[in-house]
Amino acid sequence: MNYRALGNTGVFVSELCLGAMTFGTQWEMIGTLDQNEANVMVSRSIDAGINFFDTADVYSTGESETILGRALANNRHNVVLATKVRGRMGPGPNDVGLSRLHITNACEASLKRLGTDYIDLYQIHRADSQAGIEETLSALTDLVRAGKIRYIGCSNLEAWELMKALSVSERKGLEAFKCTQSYYALSGRDIERDTIPLIQDQGLGLLVWSPLSGGFLSG
């Protein structure tokens, strides 16, 4: 297994990251892996040298985090664990988004489901037009300073949104995104136009999701 630096953090992660979107029983169109199946997959991944695991609170409405946390229980401190926040996690008006209120509540819930005291990489799942980026970054900064998350990242942001966030972090003295998670495959190369030049210039890491285009490229 080859390892690469995660942006400019000095943390090294395996080139292959195991995504846990198929863990859980509530996303029938995505996947329905139960705990035993996930245990086998995670164990084989670790044996192959993978030390990077990614999920999100919204995957199977939290079940993915619970299953992944249990599967990693004996290896928690040997891996880099990532999850995300933004999606709807309840019926209430504040059970979604990137407000300080929702981020704080969602982080506590993710920690409990994952069975851990800290999250290595906490990512916003996509932009939230209702919450100012300074509000979001301020909440994430407080979680870093409280020791509940180590680094912050983003997913599915447009290049201009990412650059704006980096600028706000610099001007306000807030934690900055260390990486972006984007769709990138032979059949979807849009980020080559602006996002990749941006992250190369700013020293960010790139996490690729759906490199096989949801199975399209593998038949």
Side-chain angles (χ1 to χ4, degrees):
M1 179 61 63
N2 295 319
Y3 298 87
R4 292 177 179 266
L6 183 63
N8 61 6
T9 64
V11 173
F12 285 83
V13 295
S14 50
E15 285 187 330
L16 296 180
C17 173
L18 179 63
M21 193 164 82
T22 58
F23 291 7
T25 60
Q26 300 183 47
W27 281 29
E28 294 184 2
M29 297 299 293
I30 302 295
T32 56
L33 295 181
D34 62 21
Q35 187 68 61
N36 290 333
E37 292 170 312
N39 289 346
V40 172
M41 185 177 290
V42 169
S43 178
R44 288 180 177 176
S45 298
I46 291 174
D47 289 344
I50 290 176
N51 74 337
F52 197 14
F53 296 84
D54 178 66
T55 185
D57 58 3
V58 75
Y59 295 165
S60 211
T61 320
E63 194 176 3
S64 173
E65 287 185 326
T66 299
I67 291 174
L68 181 60
R70 290 172 178 168
L72 288 172
N74 295 328
N75 292 283
R76 173 64 188 96
H77 300 297
N78 299 318
V79 302
V80 176
L81 179 57
T83 191
K84 309 178 197 74
V85 59
R86 164 65 172 88
R88 178 164 291 283
M89 293 300 292
N94 294 307
D95 293 334
V96 63
L98 295 175
S99 67
R100 173 181 292 275
L101 176 61
H102 181 64
I103 288 174
T104 303
N105 291 341
C107 181
E108 293 292 348
S110 287
L111 288 168
K112 184 176 181 179
R113 285 189 295 265
L114 290 165
T116 184
D117 294 329
Y118 64 95
I119 296 165
D120 295 297
L121 176 63
Y122 201 46
Q123 305 154 100
I124 63 169
H125 214 150
R126 63 181 187 276
D128 178 8
S129 61
Q130 300 301 311
I133 189 61
E134 186 175 340
E135 162 95 355
T136 297
L137 290 168
S138 178
L140 293 171
T141 296
D142 286 348
L143 290 172
V144 171
R145 292 173 180 172
K148 295 184 178 183
I149 57 180
R150 299 291 191 253
Y151 303 101
I152 64 173
C154 61
S155 179
N156 301 314
L157 294 191
E158 298 292 339
W160 69 266
E161 293 173 319
L162 175 53
M163 193 64 240
K164 178 180 178 180
L166 295 176
S167 176
V168 170
S169 294
E170 182 177 12
R171 288 189 291 108
K172 300 294 184 178
L174 301 172
E175 289 290 320
F177 294 137
K178 301 300 184 182
C179 57
T180 179
Q181 187 170 156
S182 303
Y183 171 57
Y184 189 35
L186 287 174
S187 57
R189 300 171 59 181
D190 292 352
I191 66 170
E192 291 179 358
R193 296 193 185 98
D194 43 26
T195 299
I196 287 182
L198 186 159
I199 64 176
Q200 288 176 329
D201 179 71
Q202 296 296 312
L204 273 65
L206 173 63
L207 282 62
V208 171
W209 64 262
S210 200
L212 295 178
S213 295
F216 173 75
L217 294 177
S218 59

